Amino acid sequence: MLFLSNPLALVFAGIVVFAALGYTRAAVQHTGRAPRRAYIVVGLLFTAVLLRLAANTVTSVLIDVWTYRARSTAEQWLSHTLGTAVTGVDAQSRTLYIRVRSPGDMPPIKDLLSDLEEQLPSGILVVVDTTRGQQITAGKVGG
C-alpha cells in the first residue's frame, strides 16, 4: 500500500508546487476561466494520499501494539522457567514469530496461546522459534 501512495504523493507535490508558482493564474489568463477540474483533481489526489497514509499509519501502530503485547505475554509465560528469555517478536503477514532462548524444556505452548487470546485478535498464527533450532507452531489465536 505504501508503494502506491508514494507516486500519488509525488504527483500531489508537483501540483502544489506548480500552483504555488502561479501556473494556475497563467491558465486562467490563457483560457479566461478558473481551472475547476484541476482543483477537483488536486482534492481527489490529496484525499487519496491522506487515506493511504492513514491506513499505513494505523496498520503500523496495530502491528507494534500486537508485537509488544505478544512479547510481554511471552515473557510472563517464561517467567517461571530459569534460563529462558524472549529475544524478539516479529510479525509477518498474519503470523507472529516469538523467538525464545531456552536451555531446556519450556512451559506448555497451550498456556501461551490461551494467554495471547486475551491480547491479540482472533486468527493470528503464533509460531515459537527456539535457539535450539526448534520451530513450534502454537496455533491460531481464538481458534
Side-chain angles (χ1 to χ4, degrees):
M1 189 183 301
L2 184 60
F3 175 75
L4 295 175
S5 64
N6 288 341
L8 289 174
L10 290 172
V11 168
F12 177 72
I15 291 171
V16 169
V17 167
F18 286 131
L21 292 175
Y23 283 95
T24 55
R25 277 183 252 126
V28 170
Q29 290 172 356
H30 184 267
T31 61
R33 57 185 170 88
R36 289 184 195 157
R37 183 180 293 168
Y39 290 128
I40 292 171
V41 169
V42 169
L44 290 174
L45 282 175
F46 186 69
T47 303
V49 168
L50 282 181
L51 288 175
R52 292 201 181 273
L53 290 177
N56 288 339
T57 301
V58 168
T59 302
S60 295
V61 168
L62 285 175
I63 289 172
D64 286 345
V65 167
W66 293 338
T67 55
Y68 174 78
R69 287 180 180 175
R71 183 182 188 106
S72 63
T73 302
E75 287 171 349
Q76 289 175 356
W77 170 64
L78 293 173
S79 64
H80 302 295
T81 307
L82 294 175
T84 59
V86 177
T87 59
V89 177
D90 295 320
Q92 294 177 2
S93 185
R94 293 194 47 88
T95 304
L96 279 180
Y97 292 92
I98 300 173
R99 293 186 312 273
V100 175
R101 183 182 66 229
S102 172
D105 291 336
M106 293 184 302
I109 295 291
K110 296 292 181 190
D111 293 345
L112 173 64
L113 195 58
S114 65
D115 292 344
L116 287 173
E117 285 182 6
E118 301 168 2
Q119 303 295 325
L120 302 175
S122 295
I124 294 180
L125 182 66
V126 176
V127 176
V128 178
D129 284 329
T130 66
T131 53
R132 294 182 298 161
Q134 194 176 20
Q135 190 175 57
I136 305 165
T137 303
K140 286 190 177 184
V141 175

